Amino acid sequence: MIKTHKILGLMSGTSLDGLDLAYCLIQEKDNRYTFEIKAVDSISYTNEMQLRLKDAILLPSDALLKFHNSYGTWLGEQAKKFIEANALEVDYIASHGHTTHHQPENGLTFQIGSGQHLANASGQKVICDFRTNDVALGGQGAPLVPIGDRLFFGTYDFCLNLGGISNVSFEHRGQRIAYDIGLANMILNQITRKNGLEYDKGGKLAKSGKIIPEMLSRLNALEFYRLPFPKSIGYEWFIKEVVPIVETFPHRMEDLLCTSVHHICDQVAMQVKQNSKKEGSTLFITGGGALNDYLTETLREKLGNTAELVVPSKQLIEFKEALVFALMGALRAEQKINVLSSVTGAKTDSSSGVIFLPS
């Protein structure tokens, strides 16, 4: 018997590009899962919203909770418009929210976007807050996408996501292993936005630049890269450890971007080479960084014969994370495992996410 879940996945990532919406049909038969992405949209953040999300970490607690509620209402309004415009029948909205605080070492993680406000504004059942339970179980609360890598894309040796942060997942001795590698679009977008550009389309600016050796050396020497997994990073780490390095160098934007791309690829290539069991492994790559031609060219060069890059359709590149949160919602609705302790370091696997019903 085939069970079909009709779920709208919502994703807002650390790159602060905007809100991704993906309406997915997720089918389950004999514990095997398949998907169809039936409708998508991406809503760019206004400059004001982008700034509010970026600076949310600095808000006092009462102002943060107020923003948590209003952002949840905004998410619900966007979801409602999308559902009505596409005449969709929805079982659940599965929302990641937007991470403002991520300090698993202190037992906390927080994704704004109140589930109750989202449910009320959209008129739909909502599943959200997928990270808190794992952190309460002693885990990193991240990355979460590997459950989708295993169930949807398990034929590839490695699954690499290049969002604001780069993370990788793969099978190791019968367990799914995954962790944040390090930087990706977060550093590239920081550089372009300081120069009045949203992003470096296709990596053309980076390609025209030159490597700044000292900057590359300092980035590659960051302590995080020497830590064992499970491990994850957030915006706090970026502001504290990375931004001061970048701001040390008064070079051209093109040179800063070029250096950052090489840094990103150095770290990814190192992890793939260390964990590859054979020559010619397959590396399935998604996230906005997969659309950066200079980044993918550079990564191919650094990988050599170790791994073949597999770049899927533009739709899957852009909406994979929203798809996976739709899957996590489907699994939570069935009370099945959707967060893997082998990935996060938690005491146990869990079925995470909080369900909210509309008033």
Side-chain angles (χ1 to χ4, degrees):
M1 182 175 174
I2 298 176
K3 171 82 173 177
T4 301
H5 299 270
K6 294 168 282 193
I7 301 189
L8 173 59
L10 305 183
M11 178 66 199
S12 176
T14 50
S15 56
L16 290 167
D17 294 332
L19 174 68
D20 291 335
L21 305 93
Y23 177 66
C24 309
L25 298 186
I26 296 174
Q27 295 190 321
E28 172 202 352
K29 183 180 181 183
D30 300 327
N31 284 323
R32 293 179 179 272
Y33 290 82
T34 57
F35 68 89
E36 287 182 78
I37 300 176
K38 305 295 286 186
V40 296
D41 195 10
S42 190
I43 301 168
S44 296
Y45 289 133
T46 62
N47 290 338
E48 180 191 1
M49 179 68 89
Q50 204 173 78
L51 196 62
R52 290 187 71 193
L53 289 168
K54 182 171 76 72
D55 291 342
I57 190 173
L58 306 174
L59 293 174
S61 57
D62 55 347
L64 179 64
L65 291 174
K66 186 176 179 182
F67 187 27
H68 173 57
N69 294 342
S70 65
Y71 182 65
T73 297
W74 182 83
L75 290 176
E77 290 168 350
Q78 307 316 305
K80 185 176 183 180
K81 290 176 189 174
F82 179 77
I83 290 167
E84 291 176 349
N86 292 281
L88 303 177
E89 185 180 332
V90 175
D91 296 329
Y92 286 96
I93 294 172
S95 174
H96 170 265
H98 187 88
T99 300
T100 59
H101 296 69
H102 186 67
Q103 302 170 25
E105 69 280 4
N106 295 321
L108 70 89
T109 185
F110 190 55
Q111 287 70 47
I112 64 167
S114 161
Q116 191 61 68
H117 288 73
L118 202 169
N120 291 353
S122 65
Q124 303 290 333
K125 297 175 185 176
V126 169
I127 305 176
C128 64
D129 192 9
F130 288 102
R131 299 185 189 273
T132 299
N133 187 35
D134 184 79
V135 172
L137 291 167
Q140 291 283 312
L144 298 183
V145 168
I147 189 68
D149 293 340
R150 169 179 272 183
L151 296 180
F152 287 156
F153 309 109
T155 56
Y156 300 103
D157 296 306
F158 297 91
C159 289
L160 173 69
N161 182 67
L162 295 173
I165 292 165
S166 63
N167 50 60
V168 67
S169 83
F170 52 94
E171 294 292 327
H172 178 70
R173 297 177 182 172
Q175 290 188 314
R176 196 78 190 178
I177 299 296
Y179 50 92
D180 286 349
I181 294 175
L183 296 167
N185 294 326
M186 192 184 280
I187 187 171
L188 302 177
N189 292 351
Q190 170 85 3
I191 292 165
T192 56
R193 285 169 185 161
K194 285 203 77 170
N195 287 272
L197 294 174
E198 194 61 28
Y199 63 99
D200 179 11
K201 188 173 182 180
K204 291 177 182 177
L205 294 171
K207 189 171 185 176
S208 69
K210 295 180 180 179
I211 295 172
I212 306 165
E214 186 185 347
M215 177 179 163
L216 181 60
S217 176
R218 288 183 60 182
L219 288 172
N220 281 336
L222 285 164
E223 183 185 0
F224 177 79
Y225 298 125
R226 297 192 296 274
L227 298 177
F229 60 79
K231 58 180 181 175
S232 62
I233 48 177
Y235 190 66
E236 298 100 317
W237 174 84
F238 174 68
I239 291 297
K240 181 182 176 183
E241 302 289 343
V242 179
V243 171
I245 294 175
V246 176
E247 291 183 346
T248 299
F249 296 92
H251 293 63
R252 296 187 313 147
M253 172 176 60
E254 291 82 354
D255 297 341
L256 295 172
L257 289 169
C258 180
T259 306
S260 299
V261 165
H262 279 265
H263 165 64
I264 293 164
C265 294
D266 279 346
Q267 296 303 321
V268 171
M270 184 187 305
Q271 293 303 316
V272 173
K273 287 178 178 180
Q274 286 178 358
N275 293 289
S276 183
K277 301 181 184 71
K278 62 185 181 181
E279 192 173 277
S281 296
T282 49
L283 177 62
F284 183 71
I285 177 173
T286 54
L291 299 173
N292 185 319
D293 295 331
Y294 181 59
L295 194 156
T296 55
E297 287 169 15
T298 303
L299 184 56
R300 280 194 178 95
E301 289 174 9
K302 292 182 185 291
L303 286 169
N305 295 327
T306 303
E308 173 195 353
L309 260 62
V310 180
V311 182
S313 68
K314 188 170 185 285
Q315 184 189 73
L316 193 51
I317 287 172
E318 294 180 329
F319 294 97
K320 180 193 170 192
E321 286 186 295
L323 162 68
V324 172
F325 279 97
L327 170 66
M328 292 186 70
L331 293 168
R332 178 69 183 94
E334 296 285 322
Q335 297 184 345
K336 293 184 176 180
I337 289 167
N338 62 2
V339 180
L340 302 171
S341 59
S342 63
V343 168
T344 67
K347 296 172 187 173
T348 181
D349 295 342
S350 61
S351 182
S352 290
V354 182
I355 299 174
F356 293 88
L357 305 180
S359 295

